[in-house]
Amino acid sequence: MTVAQHMLAQNWDDIRLKLYSKTSQQVRAALASPRPTWEDFLALISPAGEPYLETLALKAKKITRQRFGNTVSLFVPLYLSNLCANECTYCGFTMSNRIKRTKLDKQAVANEVAAIKAMGFDSVLLVTGEHETKAGMAYFREILPAITPHFSFVAMEVQPLDTCDYRALKQLGVNSVLVYQETYHPQRYGHYHLRGNKQDFSYRLDTPDRLGKAGMKKIGLGALLGLSDWRTDSAFTALHSERIQNTYWQSRVSVSFPRIRPCSGGGIDAVSAITDKQLVQLICAYRVFLPDAELSLSTRESPWFRDNVVPLAITTMSAASQTQPGGYSEPSAALAQFSTEDTRSVTEVTQAITQSGLEVVWRDWLPGFGCEV
Ligand code: SF4
């Protein structure tokens, strides 16, 4: 049975019921456990776990410092395209949204790379909308040689691909791929994804397996918090992450915590809004459950939130992000995928990190050291 098949066999309502029935006693047992299980994770993110946030945060901080030292890595997103052949009701790039569509050519990519390198970044996340014909493997083969030699770590957030394509991306110098399930609730997933290949819930769910089989160094998972009950979606994400990590042990798992944000075209309201305090609870619970996982926080969150949460459990964060193609060399907010909250410069973010007693890591991966091919 693949990990995706195991996930498909899980029952949303059963897990939700289990999660919301956790007691204070079970939370205390989870906090005391030297090796918390997934059941413990459910207790830690449950309503019963909310009064124990301080104890949980202290435990998470201790584990983070033990595993990762006093460091946090910085990366920056580079949007290659805003073309998309999907209709997702919560996203500014959705197919029916009348925005100017663009795809960076080689010269535009070179301009963006130069602007990003001048900011000091050595780790980049390449983002496209999901458009198989216009921004698919042919485009990636053309554009990646102009990008990967300039960075020590290259991640991608693009449409789900087949295993052979992931192998090809790896050979082109890609180290990591992130594909978020958005929500693990099949019916609600259908409610938000109205047209395009993204409607295929199972193919998307199987993506981390294909990445593992391709030997991708890092595999990114996540749910868009607010699309469905955030606790149950997080229970699924955590289980999925644990299974992927255990099955494809030569890869590393990364988890992100995007909350629904406004976008051009309006976007949608969260059906299950997660408060700042609950998001801290969730992030710290992940650290306790998955001590070695990379936990990543984007500029969707405010400076205040990021400055306070990063020292507890975050290992990777973006800074000075532009969420539109060409945004670093030719800023134009009209094309943005979603609005960012932390609009500080790289210098301001690094100063805040240093003031919290952490060291900024620009490069934690040497090309040629390990198994790129
Ligand atoms: S979420 Fe992704 S697939 Fe959906 S519209 Fe936005 S860019 Fe396209």
Side-chain angles (χ1 to χ4, degrees):
M1 187 185 263
T2 64
V3 176
Q5 286 165 340
H6 176 77
M7 295 306 298
L8 276 174
Q10 305 303 312
N11 183 288
W12 176 280
D13 292 334
D14 288 349
I15 290 174
R16 188 174 194 278
L17 188 63
K18 194 186 287 194
L19 202 163
Y20 281 86
S21 326
K22 292 291 181 187
T23 63
S24 298
Q25 193 180 4
Q26 288 171 309
V27 177
R28 287 195 294 275
L31 285 167
S33 170
R35 298 199 61 173
T37 63
W38 179 67
E39 287 283 343
D40 292 323
F41 176 83
L42 300 190
L44 294 176
I45 67 168
S46 71
E50 290 194 3
Y52 297 87
L53 180 56
E54 198 174 333
T55 311
L56 175 62
L58 285 173
K59 190 173 170 105
K61 186 174 183 180
K62 189 174 169 195
I63 294 170
T64 308
R65 299 284 75 88
Q66 280 172 347
R67 302 281 173 150
F68 296 91
N70 295 321
T71 64
V72 62
S73 297
L74 283 188
F75 72 93
V76 71
L78 165 48
Y79 277 67
L80 297 173
S81 149
N82 62 0
L83 298 163
C84 193
N86 291 310
E87 187 79 30
C88 306
T89 54
Y90 48 83
C91 176
F93 287 177
T94 195
M95 185 166 49
S96 63
N97 206 0
R98 289 178 175 272
I99 57 168
K100 187 179 162 200
R101 303 286 173 168
T102 187
K103 180 175 81 171
L104 301 188
D105 60 18
K106 273 189 183 168
Q107 184 54 56
V109 165
N111 294 344
E112 288 291 272
V113 167
I116 286 173
K117 293 298 290 187
M119 292 159 78
F121 288 103
D122 198 39
S123 176
V124 69
L125 169 64
L126 307 178
V127 186
T128 65
E130 300 195 8
H131 202 302
E132 190 54 46
T133 50
K134 292 185 180 169
M137 281 306 295
Y139 177 63
F140 301 149
R141 283 182 207 281
E142 177 196 334
I143 225 76
L144 283 170
I147 301 172
T148 53
H150 299 284
F151 296 94
S152 62
F153 197 90
V154 177
M156 289 188 91
E157 191 178 325
V158 299
Q159 64 272 17
L161 300 167
D162 291 337
T163 307
C164 59
D165 292 330
Y166 287 136
R167 288 201 181 101
L169 288 183
K170 212 178 144 197
Q171 293 204 326
L172 286 162
V174 174
N175 310 105
S176 171
V177 174
L178 327 176
V179 176
Y180 304 141
Q181 188 62 29
E182 316 296 13
T183 176
Y184 286 80
H185 189 292
Q187 287 75 38
R188 290 208 71 81
Y189 185 94
H191 172 77
Y192 293 118
H193 302 107
L194 305 178
R195 279 197 287 174
N197 291 341
K198 196 168 176 177
Q199 286 180 300
D200 192 338
F201 178 89
S202 300
Y203 186 68
R204 198 170 188 89
L205 192 68
D206 190 49
T207 305
D209 281 283
R210 295 195 301 280
L211 284 163
K213 286 171 190 160
M216 192 57 69
K217 176 177 160 47
K218 194 160 71 183
I219 302 171
L221 297 96
L224 183 53
L225 302 174
L227 288 185
S228 303
D229 176 66
W230 68 262
R231 286 191 176 88
T232 314
D233 256 334
S234 300
F236 272 82
T237 310
L239 182 63
H240 200 178
S241 302
E242 185 200 34
R243 289 271 169 162
I244 288 292
Q245 193 166 304
N246 291 347
T247 306
Y248 307 102
W249 54 271
Q250 288 169 309
S251 300
R252 188 172 190 182
V253 159
S254 167
V255 183
S256 301
F257 318 91
R259 292 195 266 193
I260 290 178
R261 296 281 308 144
C263 63
S264 50
I268 59 161
D269 293 329
V271 296
S272 163
I274 175 170
T275 65
D276 284 354
K277 198 173 167 191
Q278 289 166 337
L279 185 52
V280 178
Q281 182 188 0
L282 177 64
I283 291 170
C284 291
Y286 266 109
R287 172 57 65 228
V288 169
F289 175 50
L290 299 171
D292 295 318
E294 179 180 295
L295 302 185
S296 186
L297 201 60
S298 79
T299 53
R300 283 174 183 256
E301 300 300 334
S302 69
W304 177 85
F305 185 83
R306 299 212 313 161
D307 289 351
N308 283 283
V309 176
V310 165
L312 298 179
I314 296 299
T315 49
T316 310
M317 62 191 289
S318 52
S321 304
Q322 297 290 336
T323 65
Q324 72 272 21
Y328 300 101
S329 45
E330 283 184 59
S332 161
L335 305 178
Q337 185 183 28
F338 60 86
S339 57
T340 54
E341 280 281 306
D342 189 346
T343 55
R344 291 177 295 182
S345 68
V346 187
T347 305
E348 289 170 316
V349 172
T350 55
Q351 279 172 352
I353 292 171
T354 307
Q355 278 166 12
S356 69
L358 299 176
E359 188 183 331
V360 174
V361 174
W362 298 95
R363 165 182 287 216
D364 74 345
W365 179 254
L366 286 176
F369 183 76
C371 47
E372 274 85 17
V373 183

